[in-house]
Amino acid sequence: MPGPREEIDIIGWVFNQYAFENKGYHKIASELNQQQVSTEKVGTWSVSTICAIIFNESYIGSKIITKNAHPALITKELFEQCSHCYTNKCL
């Protein structure tokens, strides 16, 4: 099941910042840390945490976890936009 509404909003915010605000992993992590948004496990945001979110297909509901589909937290279109941004940033 999705986490608390605040966690779901943060995931959406991360994807939108990357896809539409042209912010990189470092900038997104830095802004979350400046706003004192804690992570579920570590407490602070890192580049690797942001990268892991951006490439995690479970947020579009495509992975099976314990025989149940994980509910989508973002649209497939937003996920694909992030993939497109990654490709363009790396070329």
Side-chain angles (χ1 to χ4, degrees):
M1 296 305 292
R5 183 78 237 164
E6 182 179 288
E7 292 175 17
I8 295 169
D9 290 346
I10 291 167
I11 295 300
W13 184 84
V14 167
F15 276 95
N16 280 293
Q17 294 301 298
Y18 188 79
F20 301 114
E21 300 298 325
N22 199 31
K23 293 181 182 172
Y25 311 132
H26 187 270
K27 180 67 175 169
I28 294 169
S30 177
E31 287 185 17
L32 288 167
N33 288 325
Q34 287 174 352
Q35 296 171 18
Q36 297 181 333
V37 176
S38 64
T39 64
E40 183 178 298
K41 297 177 184 175
V42 184
T44 59
W45 295 87
S46 68
V47 169
S48 61
T49 303
I50 300 302
C51 185
I53 290 171
I54 297 294
F55 290 102
N56 189 340
E57 290 184 25
S58 68
Y59 292 119
I60 58 172
S62 67
K63 291 210 174 183
I64 304 298
I65 300 174
T66 64
K67 299 183 184 179
N68 296 317
H70 187 280
L73 301 182
I74 63 163
T75 65
K76 185 175 181 179
E77 293 78 18
L78 180 54
F79 185 83
E80 290 173 350
Q81 178 65 30
C82 286
S83 295
H84 177 75
C85 290
Y86 175 78
T87 301
N88 287 340
K89 289 176 184 178
C90 291
L91 292 178

